[in-house]
Each structure stands twice: as structure tokens, then as C-alpha cells.
Amino acid sequence: MPLNSSELACFAAMTAESSSDNAVPLSQMGIDEFRTFAAAYAPRAGAMPDVAFVDREILTRDAAAIRLRIFNAHLATGPVLIFFPGNGYMNPLFEENAIACGRIATNIKIKVILVEYRLAPEYPLPISIEDGFDALRAVV
């Protein structure tokens, strides 16, 4: 699938900002370097829309607490989008994904639930996937 002009401009700007003679291939980065690299998306996320949300915690199967951010929680009926961020199960981009979820909730006027599962490598797979399943079970 070809990239659109906005995506091309974003990647061009990120490349220009991160270019250096000391560039490290992703495969050779430690987790902290990788997360710093991924944090380059944060300034491009934009502003959080003016939409109501609440944060709730649920307990997972191993009694760990994970956060759900619920946009338009006041809506009693209608469709619900449960958003599981990609992030490779490694990048703590919850707030950046919250902006996207806020936009969806604002523009479509639905309830949107963002899941903050635990991240690898601190919590090895399949913990992140199990957290997502436990969040889905709690919502249902």
C-alpha cells in the first residue's frame, strides 16, 4: 500500500531529525534506545480533542492492575470500539494512542476504550496478549 503525502512528510521529517553518522540499526538497540527512538512519534500526535474520558483499572488473571481509558463513558448504548495499541508490545505510547482514540470518539460520537497492557520485555509474551484478553472480558 503506498504512503499518502502526510505519511511521507512525517517520515521525511523524522528521518531528517534522527539522521546522524552514529545511527544504530534497530536490531542492535537496547530496549531503552528503542523506546527513545519510538518516542519521536509523540510530538506528531497533536492535541487531545475536547472529549470526556475516565480512567479505570481492571485486574488481570494474575491480579495485576491495568488501565483502561474510556472516552464518552457516559454513552449508555451504541457501538463501542476497544482499541488495542500496536506498539510492538514494547513501546509506552499510551498517551499518543489516547489522542487517536479521542479523535475517534469525538468524530464518530461513540464510546472508545483504550487498553494499556503491560509491556515486554519487562513482562514477557504472552502477558501483553493475556492482558488484552482480560480487558476484553472485563468490558464484555
Short mmCIF file of all heavy atoms in Angstrom, two decimals, residues 61-102:
data_model
loop_
_atom_site.label_atom_id
_atom_site.label_comp_id
_atom_site.label_asym_id
_atom_site.label_seq_id
_atom_site.Cartn_x
_atom_site.Cartn_y
_atom_site.Cartn_z
N ARG A 61 -5.79 -11.74 35.04
CA ARG A 61 -5.84 -13.11 35.58
C ARG A 61 -4.79 -13.37 36.66
O ARG A 61 -4.98 -14.23 37.51
CB ARG A 61 -5.71 -14.13 34.46
CG ARG A 61 -4.35 -14.08 33.75
CD ARG A 61 -4.30 -14.92 32.51
NE ARG A 61 -5.16 -14.31 31.51
CZ ARG A 61 -5.61 -14.93 30.44
NH1 ARG A 61 -5.28 -16.16 30.21
NH2 ARG A 61 -6.37 -14.31 29.59
N ASP A 62 -3.67 -12.61 36.63
CA ASP A 62 -2.65 -12.78 37.67
C ASP A 62 -2.70 -11.65 38.70
O ASP A 62 -1.74 -11.39 39.40
CB ASP A 62 -1.25 -12.91 37.05
CG ASP A 62 -0.83 -11.68 36.25
OD1 ASP A 62 -1.66 -10.78 36.03
OD2 ASP A 62 0.35 -11.62 35.86
N ALA A 63 -3.86 -10.98 38.77
CA ALA A 63 -4.16 -9.95 39.77
C ALA A 63 -3.35 -8.67 39.60
O ALA A 63 -3.23 -7.88 40.53
CB ALA A 63 -4.02 -10.49 41.20
N ALA A 64 -2.79 -8.44 38.42
CA ALA A 64 -2.13 -7.17 38.13
C ALA A 64 -3.19 -6.17 37.70
O ALA A 64 -4.19 -6.53 37.08
CB ALA A 64 -1.09 -7.34 37.03
N ALA A 65 -2.99 -4.91 38.03
CA ALA A 65 -3.92 -3.86 37.61
C ALA A 65 -3.44 -3.25 36.31
O ALA A 65 -2.27 -2.90 36.17
CB ALA A 65 -4.01 -2.79 38.69
N ILE A 66 -4.34 -3.17 35.32
CA ILE A 66 -4.04 -2.47 34.08
C ILE A 66 -5.11 -1.40 33.86
O ILE A 66 -6.23 -1.50 34.37
CB ILE A 66 -3.93 -3.40 32.85
CG1 ILE A 66 -5.24 -4.12 32.58
CG2 ILE A 66 -2.77 -4.36 33.01
CD1 ILE A 66 -5.27 -4.86 31.25
N ARG A 67 -4.73 -0.38 33.12
CA ARG A 67 -5.61 0.77 32.92
C ARG A 67 -6.40 0.66 31.62
O ARG A 67 -5.89 0.24 30.60
CB ARG A 67 -4.77 2.06 32.90
CG ARG A 67 -5.56 3.30 32.63
CD ARG A 67 -4.77 4.58 32.83
NE ARG A 67 -3.48 4.57 32.17
CZ ARG A 67 -2.81 5.68 31.87
NH1 ARG A 67 -3.29 6.87 32.18
NH2 ARG A 67 -1.63 5.61 31.28
N LEU A 68 -7.65 1.08 31.73
CA LEU A 68 -8.50 1.29 30.56
C LEU A 68 -8.88 2.77 30.57
O LEU A 68 -9.28 3.29 31.60
CB LEU A 68 -9.79 0.46 30.63
CG LEU A 68 -9.66 -1.04 30.81
CD1 LEU A 68 -11.05 -1.67 30.85
CD2 LEU A 68 -8.83 -1.67 29.72
N ARG A 69 -8.72 3.44 29.45
CA ARG A 69 -9.20 4.83 29.32
C ARG A 69 -10.47 4.76 28.48
O ARG A 69 -10.45 4.28 27.35
CB ARG A 69 -8.16 5.74 28.69
CG ARG A 69 -8.69 7.17 28.56
CD ARG A 69 -7.61 8.18 28.32
NE ARG A 69 -6.79 8.29 29.52
CZ ARG A 69 -5.64 8.97 29.55
NH1 ARG A 69 -5.18 9.57 28.47
NH2 ARG A 69 -4.94 9.04 30.66
N ILE A 70 -11.56 5.26 29.03
CA ILE A 70 -12.86 5.16 28.39
C ILE A 70 -13.30 6.55 27.97
O ILE A 70 -13.57 7.41 28.81
CB ILE A 70 -13.89 4.52 29.33
CG1 ILE A 70 -13.34 3.19 29.86
CG2 ILE A 70 -15.23 4.34 28.61
CD1 ILE A 70 -14.13 2.61 31.01
N PHE A 71 -13.38 6.75 26.67
CA PHE A 71 -13.86 8.01 26.10
C PHE A 71 -15.36 7.90 25.89
O PHE A 71 -15.86 6.86 25.49
CB PHE A 71 -13.17 8.28 24.75
CG PHE A 71 -11.68 8.48 24.87
CD1 PHE A 71 -10.82 7.40 24.83
CD2 PHE A 71 -11.16 9.75 25.05
CE1 PHE A 71 -9.46 7.58 24.95
CE2 PHE A 71 -9.79 9.94 25.17
CZ PHE A 71 -8.94 8.86 25.12
N ASN A 72 -16.06 9.00 26.16
CA ASN A 72 -17.52 9.04 26.05
C ASN A 72 -18.15 7.96 26.93
O ASN A 72 -19.12 7.30 26.54
CB ASN A 72 -17.99 8.89 24.61
CG ASN A 72 -17.68 10.11 23.78
OD1 ASN A 72 -17.60 11.22 24.29
ND2 ASN A 72 -17.51 9.92 22.48
N ALA A 73 -17.61 7.79 28.13
CA ALA A 73 -18.10 6.76 29.06
C ALA A 73 -19.57 6.96 29.40
O ALA A 73 -20.26 6.02 29.79
CB ALA A 73 -17.26 6.76 30.33
N HIS A 74 -20.07 8.17 29.25
CA HIS A 74 -21.46 8.48 29.59
C HIS A 74 -22.46 7.88 28.61
O HIS A 74 -23.64 7.78 28.91
CB HIS A 74 -21.65 10.01 29.63
CG HIS A 74 -21.42 10.66 28.30
ND1 HIS A 74 -20.14 10.90 27.82
CD2 HIS A 74 -22.28 11.09 27.35
CE1 HIS A 74 -20.24 11.47 26.62
NE2 HIS A 74 -21.52 11.58 26.31
N LEU A 75 -22.00 7.45 27.44
CA LEU A 75 -22.93 6.86 26.46
C LEU A 75 -23.37 5.49 26.93
O LEU A 75 -22.55 4.59 27.10
CB LEU A 75 -22.26 6.77 25.08
CG LEU A 75 -21.86 8.10 24.44
CD1 LEU A 75 -21.12 7.84 23.12
CD2 LEU A 75 -23.08 8.98 24.21
N ALA A 76 -24.67 5.33 27.14
CA ALA A 76 -25.19 4.08 27.68
C ALA A 76 -25.42 3.02 26.62
O ALA A 76 -25.39 1.83 26.92
CB ALA A 76 -26.50 4.36 28.43
N THR A 77 -25.68 3.44 25.39
CA THR A 77 -25.95 2.48 24.33
C THR A 77 -25.15 2.88 23.09
O THR A 77 -24.60 3.97 23.02
CB THR A 77 -27.44 2.45 23.96
OG1 THR A 77 -27.84 3.75 23.51
CG2 THR A 77 -28.29 2.05 25.16
N GLY A 78 -25.15 1.98 22.13
CA GLY A 78 -24.47 2.26 20.88
C GLY A 78 -23.19 1.45 20.74
O GLY A 78 -22.82 0.69 21.63
N PRO A 79 -22.53 1.62 19.63
CA PRO A 79 -21.30 0.86 19.38
C PRO A 79 -20.17 1.27 20.32
O PRO A 79 -20.15 2.40 20.81
CB PRO A 79 -20.96 1.18 17.93
CG PRO A 79 -21.69 2.42 17.61
CD PRO A 79 -22.88 2.50 18.52
N VAL A 80 -19.28 0.33 20.53
CA VAL A 80 -18.08 0.56 21.35
C VAL A 80 -16.87 0.05 20.57
O VAL A 80 -16.90 -1.05 20.04
CB VAL A 80 -18.17 -0.18 22.70
CG1 VAL A 80 -16.88 -0.03 23.50
CG2 VAL A 80 -19.37 0.28 23.51
N LEU A 81 -15.83 0.88 20.51
CA LEU A 81 -14.57 0.46 19.91
C LEU A 81 -13.59 0.18 21.04
O LEU A 81 -13.35 1.05 21.88
CB LEU A 81 -14.01 1.55 19.00
CG LEU A 81 -12.58 1.34 18.49
CD1 LEU A 81 -12.52 0.14 17.55
CD2 LEU A 81 -12.05 2.58 17.82
N ILE A 82 -13.05 -1.02 21.07
CA ILE A 82 -11.99 -1.35 22.04
C ILE A 82 -10.69 -1.30 21.27
O ILE A 82 -10.49 -2.04 20.31
CB ILE A 82 -12.22 -2.73 22.68
CG1 ILE A 82 -13.60 -2.76 23.35
CG2 ILE A 82 -11.11 -3.03 23.69
CD1 ILE A 82 -13.98 -4.13 23.88
N PHE A 83 -9.80 -0.40 21.70
CA PHE A 83 -8.57 -0.09 20.96
C PHE A 83 -7.39 -0.74 21.66
O PHE A 83 -7.08 -0.42 22.81
CB PHE A 83 -8.40 1.43 20.89
CG PHE A 83 -7.34 1.89 19.94
CD1 PHE A 83 -7.66 2.26 18.64
CD2 PHE A 83 -6.03 2.00 20.34
CE1 PHE A 83 -6.70 2.71 17.76
CE2 PHE A 83 -5.05 2.45 19.48
CZ PHE A 83 -5.38 2.80 18.17
N PHE A 84 -6.74 -1.66 20.96
CA PHE A 84 -5.53 -2.31 21.45
C PHE A 84 -4.36 -1.72 20.67
O PHE A 84 -4.18 -2.04 19.50
CB PHE A 84 -5.60 -3.82 21.23
CG PHE A 84 -6.73 -4.49 21.95
CD1 PHE A 84 -7.93 -4.74 21.30
CD2 PHE A 84 -6.61 -4.84 23.28
CE1 PHE A 84 -8.98 -5.36 21.96
CE2 PHE A 84 -7.65 -5.46 23.95
CZ PHE A 84 -8.84 -5.72 23.29
N PRO A 85 -3.54 -0.86 21.30
CA PRO A 85 -2.44 -0.25 20.56
C PRO A 85 -1.44 -1.29 20.08
O PRO A 85 -1.21 -2.29 20.75
CB PRO A 85 -1.78 0.68 21.57
CG PRO A 85 -2.52 0.56 22.83
CD PRO A 85 -3.59 -0.45 22.68
N GLY A 86 -0.87 -1.02 18.91
CA GLY A 86 0.17 -1.91 18.39
C GLY A 86 1.42 -1.79 19.23
O GLY A 86 1.60 -2.50 20.20
N ASN A 87 2.24 -0.86 18.91
CA ASN A 87 3.44 -0.55 19.70
C ASN A 87 4.39 -1.73 19.87
O ASN A 87 5.29 -1.68 20.69
CB ASN A 87 3.08 -0.01 21.08
CG ASN A 87 2.12 1.15 21.05
OD1 ASN A 87 2.02 1.85 20.06
ND2 ASN A 87 1.40 1.35 22.13
N GLY A 88 4.18 -2.81 19.13
CA GLY A 88 5.06 -3.96 19.23
C GLY A 88 5.10 -4.58 20.61
O GLY A 88 6.04 -5.28 20.95
N TYR A 89 4.11 -4.30 21.43
CA TYR A 89 4.05 -4.74 22.83
C TYR A 89 5.23 -4.23 23.64
O TYR A 89 5.50 -4.74 24.71
CB TYR A 89 3.98 -6.27 22.94
CG TYR A 89 2.78 -6.88 22.27
CD1 TYR A 89 2.91 -7.67 21.15
CD2 TYR A 89 1.50 -6.66 22.77
CE1 TYR A 89 1.81 -8.23 20.53
CE2 TYR A 89 0.39 -7.22 22.16
CZ TYR A 89 0.55 -8.00 21.04
OH TYR A 89 -0.54 -8.55 20.44
N MET A 90 5.96 -3.22 23.10
CA MET A 90 7.16 -2.76 23.79
C MET A 90 7.19 -1.26 24.06
O MET A 90 7.95 -0.81 24.90
CB MET A 90 8.41 -3.12 22.98
CG MET A 90 8.63 -4.60 22.83
SD MET A 90 10.18 -5.03 22.03
CE MET A 90 10.07 -4.18 20.49
N ASN A 91 6.42 -0.47 23.32
CA ASN A 91 6.54 0.98 23.41
C ASN A 91 5.43 1.60 24.24
O ASN A 91 4.25 1.38 23.97
CB ASN A 91 6.54 1.61 22.02
CG ASN A 91 7.82 1.30 21.29
OD1 ASN A 91 8.89 1.53 21.83
ND2 ASN A 91 7.72 0.78 20.10
N PRO A 92 5.79 2.39 25.23
CA PRO A 92 4.79 3.01 26.10
C PRO A 92 4.20 4.26 25.46
O PRO A 92 4.47 5.38 25.87
CB PRO A 92 5.60 3.34 27.36
CG PRO A 92 6.98 3.58 26.86
CD PRO A 92 7.15 2.65 25.68
N LEU A 93 3.38 4.06 24.44
CA LEU A 93 2.80 5.19 23.70
C LEU A 93 1.31 5.34 24.03
O LEU A 93 0.50 5.67 23.17
CB LEU A 93 3.00 4.99 22.19
CG LEU A 93 4.46 4.95 21.74
CD1 LEU A 93 4.55 4.55 20.27
CD2 LEU A 93 5.14 6.28 21.98
N PHE A 94 0.95 5.12 25.28
CA PHE A 94 -0.46 5.18 25.69
C PHE A 94 -1.07 6.55 25.40
O PHE A 94 -2.14 6.65 24.83
CB PHE A 94 -0.59 4.83 27.17
CG PHE A 94 -2.01 4.78 27.65
CD1 PHE A 94 -2.78 3.66 27.43
CD2 PHE A 94 -2.56 5.84 28.34
CE1 PHE A 94 -4.10 3.59 27.87
CE2 PHE A 94 -3.87 5.79 28.78
CZ PHE A 94 -4.64 4.67 28.55
N GLU A 95 -0.38 7.61 25.81
CA GLU A 95 -0.95 8.95 25.63
C GLU A 95 -1.07 9.33 24.15
O GLU A 95 -2.03 9.99 23.76
CB GLU A 95 -0.15 9.99 26.40
CG GLU A 95 -0.20 9.82 27.92
CD GLU A 95 -1.60 9.84 28.51
OE1 GLU A 95 -2.49 10.54 27.95
OE2 GLU A 95 -1.83 9.17 29.54
N GLU A 96 -0.13 8.91 23.33
CA GLU A 96 -0.22 9.19 21.89
C GLU A 96 -1.41 8.45 21.28
O GLU A 96 -2.15 8.99 20.46
CB GLU A 96 1.08 8.78 21.18
CG GLU A 96 2.26 9.65 21.54
CD GLU A 96 2.91 9.33 22.88
OE1 GLU A 96 2.51 8.36 23.55
OE2 GLU A 96 3.83 10.06 23.28
N ASN A 97 -1.60 7.19 21.69
CA ASN A 97 -2.76 6.44 21.22
C ASN A 97 -4.06 7.01 21.78
O ASN A 97 -5.10 6.94 21.13
CB ASN A 97 -2.63 4.96 21.58
CG ASN A 97 -1.68 4.24 20.65
OD1 ASN A 97 -1.99 4.01 19.49
ND2 ASN A 97 -0.51 3.90 21.15
N ALA A 98 -4.00 7.58 22.97
CA ALA A 98 -5.19 8.20 23.56
C ALA A 98 -5.68 9.37 22.70
O ALA A 98 -6.88 9.59 22.57
CB ALA A 98 -4.90 8.67 24.99
N ILE A 99 -4.75 10.10 22.10
CA ILE A 99 -5.14 11.21 21.22
C ILE A 99 -5.91 10.67 20.02
O ILE A 99 -6.96 11.20 19.66
CB ILE A 99 -3.89 12.02 20.80
CG1 ILE A 99 -3.31 12.73 22.02
CG2 ILE A 99 -4.24 13.01 19.70
CD1 ILE A 99 -1.92 13.30 21.81
N ALA A 100 -5.42 9.60 19.43
CA ALA A 100 -6.14 8.99 18.29
C ALA A 100 -7.51 8.50 18.73
O ALA A 100 -8.51 8.72 18.04
CB ALA A 100 -5.32 7.85 17.71
N CYS A 101 -7.59 7.86 19.90
CA CYS A 101 -8.87 7.37 20.40
C CYS A 101 -9.82 8.53 20.69
O CYS A 101 -11.02 8.44 20.43
CB CYS A 101 -8.67 6.53 21.65
SG CYS A 101 -7.89 4.93 21.32
N GLY A 102 -9.27 9.62 21.23
CA GLY A 102 -10.09 10.80 21.49
C GLY A 102 -10.68 11.37 20.21
O GLY A 102 -11.84 11.81 20.17
#
